[in-house]
Amino acid sequence: MQFNTDKPIQNSTEDLLGRKSFSKNLAEAVDKYKGTDSIVIGLFGKWGIGKTSIINMILENLNDKIIVHFSPWNYSSHSDLINLFFIELGQSILDSRNAQDKKSLKKAFFKYKRSIKDISNKPIVKGIISALLQKLLGVYLEFLWSPPSLEETREELKKELGKINNKIIVVIDDIDRLTHKQIRDIFQLVKQVANFPNIVYLLSMDRDIVCDALNHEPQINGHEYLDKIIQIPMEVPKLRKIKLENVLFGKLDSVLESYSEDIIIHKEYWRRVFENCVEPYIGTLRDVNKIINIFQFRFGYLHEETCFEDMLAITILEVLEPKLYRWVGSHKDELCEIGKKGFVTNDGKHIEPRDMYTKEFNELGINSEKAILALSTLFPVFARSVKENRYDDNATDIRKNMRMANIERFDLYFIFDLDDIKVSRTIVSAFAYSFSKKEMEETLTYINDVGEIYYLLEELHSLVDSIPKERLKVMAKTLLSFQGNYSGRKESWLMPIAAKDKANYLAEAILKRIENENERFEVIQYAVNNVEAKGLGQLGVLINTIELAYGRLAGENEKKEDQIISLEHLLEIEKIFLDRIQNVAEEGDFLEIIDMRIACYLWKSFDENSFREFISEKLTDKIYKLKFLCTLAGEWNGTRGKGWGYSLKEFSEYISDENVYNLIKGLNKTELNSFSKIEKIKLASFVLNYEAKDEYHANIEAAEALVKEWEEKD
């Protein structure tokens, strides 16, 4: 990783911004100036625009000139500043081969210095500069008793400087970085010494900053004062955006070349991000260097987990619009999920979200127009709120491309904690593109155990279209045969989605990508034969979806797009499923089935007689009947919390609400202990719901309290 140090370029061969010609022309103008009168050239431009680089190219193109770089940083008074200036000026001239009579020139410098008021009482700077001043000027005792006047010494120094057969270029750079007082002192100095012959002053500054500093002087207009001192004002040429953009592209290419793997650039999205999030903000080479420095650090750390375009966009906001960057970081839900709605004022006026954001950004000192366009590009939810939804960004692509608009990935763009990544994109990609079946099974088990299986399934779903065709079958087989083990769900403000359901959606999407119908049948057949008993109900959900697609069972209309296997193969699957569930029932694993309702529904639909025979026999046992009841409980979420509810309509000929209620109420302590903790809560929920006579559903807390009462009874 190579950081950009923001150093100015030293010569024209390093010029990337097209200032070479400007610098060369200005240097030629100075070269051709044959007069001896001093001139002051002002080079104006904002910070970071490249003024120092231009000065270096100007000096490169000057022929054999005496160059004096004066850096007025370390002085304690105006007299000290003058002393420092003449030390630098004198030393540079005396060291050059252009000074023919160095002795008389040195004497003239000394006389002029001695004539400056109070100079003898003002030490310049301790140490090296004092020694240099003594070496430069010498000690001419003959002048101590009769010092000449300031005007006399000035004329003598002017005469000596006039003898030099070349121009002296005095460069004072970065004037705008000085304090207000220092800026005023510099211009007083230039005004005082500007009429010395053969001297060309080259001053660089931000005009507005300097004028503001000069305005603090009583009865001075900064702009007018500057115009009187600077004879040749030169604005740094306006930077052609295309040049700056090419520099940015070149630096980005260098960053991306450092990665061993290919970084995916999404061309259409990159065009939009560049147009609305990059181009409006960058203005100087300094901007580009700062952006690249931060970007390469952030992206280098997180490139496997983030989107290139979004990381660049958020880096630009961090560097160039930090107020908006901080605003984005604190509005995750609003940008990624819930959006913002308008509201109606007391007087009936409707306020649109766009107007609300415009007002909020303006109050924060943020350019609202640029901000709204940038955020609309990055966040589709925000775009819809402000009615800028010109782009077709779907949730699957957002997740697939690891964009910041995916709420689960949002925080990665603001922190450097890889522990916050639920499942790394490396694992997700390996699962999709390279893992063997065994490795996929081990990964599903591990991720499921640590509670992040839903996240993995969502990530895989976003990659469905890119999974190689030769891997589709093995992935679908693995995902479907794992049914019964998926745990957890994704909470949502609308409704929660269980991981087992998400696995079915994913497997169905993969099956639809398999072109050969026989291969699709093979996958489903394998899953029904190999899934654990507890997963048969969830496989039944998939089978029922296909049944409905043919208008069978409870279906009324055919849905061709869901007929993923032929009707002939569907009938064969029915037989396989029936054999499997009957075997499970005989082996005693029937109550382990998750989604019992759909498993029973399909069994009854495929062979009603065998189902009736089995259920009638088993439900004569009180404990078995109540455990079967527990498998039919459905979890609900509402304003009163969470709980369990029942609908026994489909099993009314075997189970009645009153009968079940009486059975539960009649349980003794030994019988109660044959139920698991969650089964006890489900039984308590049934009792409370029955006693409430549908006025409300009891929540888990109420059910737990009832269970505690049961357990504490003698």
Side-chain angles (χ1 to χ4, degrees):
M1 183 181 295
Q2 183 176 356
F3 289 104
N4 297 278
T5 59
D6 200 29
K7 289 182 178 179
I9 65 173
Q10 299 303 309
N11 55 64
S12 56
T13 61
E14 303 172 40
D15 178 39
L16 301 175
L17 303 178
R19 268 72 177 275
K20 186 191 312 182
S21 296
F22 171 81
S23 305
K24 185 177 180 181
N25 290 337
L26 187 51
E28 287 180 358
V30 173
D31 262 338
K32 292 178 180 178
Y33 174 58
K34 301 305 181 183
T36 59
D37 289 346
S38 172
I39 57 173
V40 181
I41 301 172
L43 188 63
F44 297 112
K46 297 293 183 183
W47 282 6
I49 203 168
K51 297 187 296 294
T52 303
S53 296
I54 291 174
I55 287 174
N56 289 340
M57 288 190 288
I58 291 172
L59 299 180
E60 173 196 11
N61 285 283
L62 290 175
N63 295 316
D64 197 28
K65 297 293 187 290
I66 302 171
I67 308 299
V68 182
H69 289 279
F70 182 51
S71 301
W73 297 98
N74 218 2
Y75 71 95
S76 59
S77 70
H78 186 63
S79 295
D80 287 346
L81 179 64
I82 294 175
N83 277 291
L84 285 172
F85 175 76
F86 278 101
I87 289 172
E88 294 288 339
L89 181 64
Q91 189 67 54
S92 298
I93 296 172
L94 293 170
D95 286 346
S96 73
R97 63 175 180 267
N98 294 279
Q100 298 173 350
D101 188 353
K102 294 187 179 183
K103 185 175 180 180
S104 59
L105 183 59
K106 181 188 295 186
K107 189 181 294 185
F109 267 116
F110 176 74
K111 287 181 179 180
Y112 182 70
K113 175 192 170 296
R114 284 292 304 252
S115 298
I116 297 173
K117 186 179 180 182
D118 293 333
I119 195 62
S120 60
N121 298 322
K122 301 285 186 180
I124 302 172
V125 184
K126 294 180 179 179
I128 295 174
I129 293 186
S130 293
L132 179 60
L133 181 61
Q134 185 174 2
K135 177 183 175 183
L136 171 66
L137 302 177
V139 181
Y140 296 94
L141 297 177
E142 64 269 24
F143 295 108
L144 293 178
W145 59 86
S146 180
S149 68
L150 179 61
E151 187 60 34
E152 290 174 341
T153 57
R154 180 193 296 273
E155 290 302 316
E156 185 174 347
L157 181 56
K158 287 172 63 176
K159 179 180 178 182
E160 292 297 328
L161 290 173
K163 295 177 182 178
I164 298 175
N165 59 1
N166 209 338
K167 292 290 184 288
I168 304 159
I169 311 298
V170 177
V171 178
I172 308 180
D173 195 7
D174 293 328
I175 295 175
D176 43 29
R177 295 191 180 187
L178 299 171
T179 67
H180 283 186
K181 181 181 183 306
Q182 289 173 328
I183 289 173
R184 293 194 297 270
D185 285 347
I186 282 296
F187 281 96
Q188 287 175 14
L189 168 68
V190 173
K191 183 179 179 183
Q192 185 172 351
V193 300
N195 61 344
F196 285 105
N198 286 326
I199 298 181
V200 176
Y201 296 90
L202 182 55
L203 315 179
S204 80
M205 70 203 81
D206 181 319
R207 185 194 294 269
D208 292 335
I209 292 176
V210 168
C211 287
D212 182 59
L214 295 174
N215 284 335
H216 283 74
E217 192 74 14
Q219 299 180 336
I220 285 184
N221 179 293
H223 286 280
E224 293 178 359
Y225 188 87
L226 206 58
D227 288 342
K228 289 178 181 179
I229 293 178
I230 295 177
Q231 290 96 21
I232 305 176
M234 300 293 293
E235 292 286 343
V236 172
K238 188 175 181 180
L239 186 62
R240 292 176 59 202
K241 265 297 182 66
I242 188 63
K243 291 281 188 180
L244 192 61
E245 291 163 6
N246 287 337
V247 173
L248 175 65
F249 297 153
K251 290 180 180 290
L252 286 174
D253 285 343
S254 297
V255 172
L256 297 182
E257 285 172 2
S258 64
Y259 299 109
S260 56
E261 69 274 34
D262 290 335
I263 303 298
I264 298 175
I265 308 296
H266 313 92
K267 291 183 180 178
E268 174 56 25
Y269 184 54
W270 166 237
R271 181 192 65 77
R272 288 155 43 193
V273 168
F274 177 78
E275 180 179 317
N276 297 325
C277 307
V278 180
E279 195 274 340
Y281 288 99
I282 59 171
T284 70
L285 184 59
R286 182 165 294 162
D287 292 343
V288 170
N289 287 334
K290 287 181 179 178
I291 290 163
I292 292 297
N293 282 341
I294 296 177
F295 172 78
Q296 67 179 343
F297 178 69
R298 282 182 174 276
F299 196 63
Y301 191 64
L302 295 168
H303 68 275
E304 293 181 343
E305 303 295 338
T306 55
C307 167
F308 162 82
E309 296 88 344
D310 282 8
M311 183 58 82
L312 179 62
I314 201 65
T315 301
I316 286 173
L317 294 185
E318 181 181 9
V319 174
L320 303 178
E321 190 65 283
K323 290 180 181 177
L324 182 58
Y325 171 81
R326 291 191 292 271
W327 186 93
V328 171
S330 61
H331 288 76
K332 175 171 67 174
D333 292 341
E334 194 172 312
L335 291 168
C336 299
E337 201 163 58
I338 62 175
K340 177 179 274 192
K341 308 297 182 185
F343 68 92
V344 178
T345 62
N346 293 333
D347 59 0
K349 182 180 179 182
H350 180 73
I351 307 296
E352 293 287 348
R354 188 183 190 108
D355 296 329
M356 295 161 64
Y357 283 122
T358 297
K359 183 175 184 293
E360 184 176 359
F361 291 148
N362 287 339
E363 288 175 350
L364 290 171
I366 297 170
N367 184 309
S368 59
E369 184 177 348
K370 290 201 300 186
I372 288 173
L373 282 176
L375 298 185
S376 297
T377 302
L378 300 173
F379 300 102
V381 169
F382 180 89
R384 288 192 288 273
S385 294
V386 299
K387 299 181 180 178
E388 278 285 347
N389 49 322
R390 295 174 287 173
Y391 311 113
D392 184 22
D393 292 314
N394 60 67
T396 299
D397 286 341
I398 287 171
R399 177 176 284 275
K400 174 182 178 181
N401 298 332
M402 301 183 289
R403 282 178 50 183
M404 186 167 40
N406 175 7
I407 196 168
E408 294 177 279
R409 205 167 284 274
F410 179 92
D411 290 336
L412 283 177
Y413 288 84
F414 295 88
I415 57 177
F416 296 104
D417 189 358
L418 289 175
D419 290 338
D420 279 4
I421 301 172
K422 297 176 181 178
V423 182
S424 74
R425 184 50 74 106
T426 301
I427 291 177
V428 174
S429 297
F431 196 106
Y433 306 128
S434 63
F435 275 171
S436 65
K437 188 174 186 297
K438 181 180 179 181
E439 289 172 322
M440 283 192 280
E441 290 169 345
E442 291 173 347
T443 300
L444 285 176
T445 300
Y446 172 74
I447 301 299
N448 191 60
D449 288 346
V450 299
E452 299 297 350
I453 193 66
Y454 196 100
Y455 183 86
L456 173 63
L457 295 173
E458 278 198 306
E459 290 286 288
L460 290 172
H461 206 152
S462 73
L463 298 176
V464 164
D465 291 341
S466 63
I467 297 172
K469 290 183 178 181
E470 64 272 13
R471 292 186 53 79
L472 294 172
K473 275 201 311 180
V474 68
M475 273 195 69
K477 285 180 178 180
T478 304
L479 292 165
L480 287 175
S481 58
F482 194 75
Q483 277 293 7
N485 294 295
Y486 294 109
S487 60
R489 63 188 184 184
K490 180 179 182 180
E491 299 295 341
S492 170
W493 63 274
L494 184 61
M495 62 176 293
I497 304 174
K500 55 189 175 66
D501 296 323
K502 183 64 182 178
N504 262 4
Y505 302 151
L506 172 57
E508 189 175 352
I510 294 174
L511 283 168
K512 287 181 177 180
R513 275 206 63 214
I514 298 175
E515 296 175 357
N516 188 294
E517 188 271 338
N518 287 321
E519 291 183 349
R520 295 196 290 269
F521 165 69
E522 178 191 333
V523 169
I524 299 172
Q525 180 186 45
Y526 175 89
V528 176
N529 282 325
N530 290 276
V531 74
E532 294 180 36
K534 56 187 177 180
L536 278 172
Q538 248 336 92
L539 279 186
V541 174
L542 176 62
I543 294 170
N544 189 53
T545 299
I546 305 172
E547 296 279 2
L548 295 175
Y550 279 100
R552 290 166 55 79
L553 305 184
E556 296 181 357
N557 300 306
E558 290 192 32
K559 293 178 66 176
K560 295 288 185 181
E561 65 272 18
D562 290 333
Q563 295 174 2
I564 55 179
I565 56 175
S566 68
L567 183 57
E568 181 182 0
H569 278 146
L570 177 60
L571 296 175
E572 192 169 341
I573 290 295
E574 290 178 1
K575 293 177 183 178
I576 298 170
F577 182 87
L578 181 60
D579 287 343
R580 183 75 202 282
I581 200 168
Q582 288 174 337
N583 288 335
V584 167
E586 290 176 8
E587 293 170 2
D589 297 329
F590 187 72
L591 291 178
E592 293 183 11
I593 294 176
I594 302 168
D595 289 306
M596 177 65 79
R597 195 178 299 276
I598 188 67
C600 290
Y601 169 72
L602 290 180
W603 185 357
K604 183 179 179 181
S605 298
F606 299 157
D607 187 348
E608 186 173 357
N609 290 333
S610 66
F611 175 74
R612 285 179 177 276
E613 181 181 342
F614 172 78
I615 289 294
S616 297
E617 177 188 345
K618 287 294 183 181
L619 297 190
T620 58
D621 180 271
K622 176 171 68 171
I623 302 300
Y624 195 97
K625 178 181 281 191
L626 293 181
K627 282 185 174 287
F628 180 70
L629 170 80
C630 290
T631 67
L632 302 178
E635 191 175 10
W636 57 265
N637 288 281
T639 57
R640 299 184 63 251
K642 299 178 181 180
W644 296 95
Y646 294 86
S647 174
L648 304 181
K649 187 176 181 180
E650 303 154 69
F651 302 93
S652 57
E653 60 183 290
Y654 311 105
I655 303 175
S656 72
D657 288 354
E658 183 179 4
N659 174 246
V660 169
Y661 176 75
N662 291 328
L663 287 176
I664 297 172
K665 294 290 285 185
L667 290 173
N668 59 43
K669 201 161 188 177
T670 301
E671 291 172 328
L672 184 65
N673 288 337
S674 65
F675 295 91
S676 68
K677 180 180 178 180
I678 187 64
E679 286 174 333
K680 291 176 185 177
I681 292 173
K682 290 179 178 180
L683 294 176
S685 297
F686 184 93
V687 169
L688 292 171
N689 293 342
Y690 181 83
E691 292 177 345
K693 302 193 181 300
D694 294 328
E695 289 183 9
Y696 69 92
H697 288 300
N699 58 30
I700 287 179
E701 289 75 18
E704 288 175 338
L706 180 57
V707 170
K708 187 176 181 181
E709 286 182 26
W710 291 345
E711 293 175 338
E712 290 176 349
K713 283 183 178 180
D714 294 334

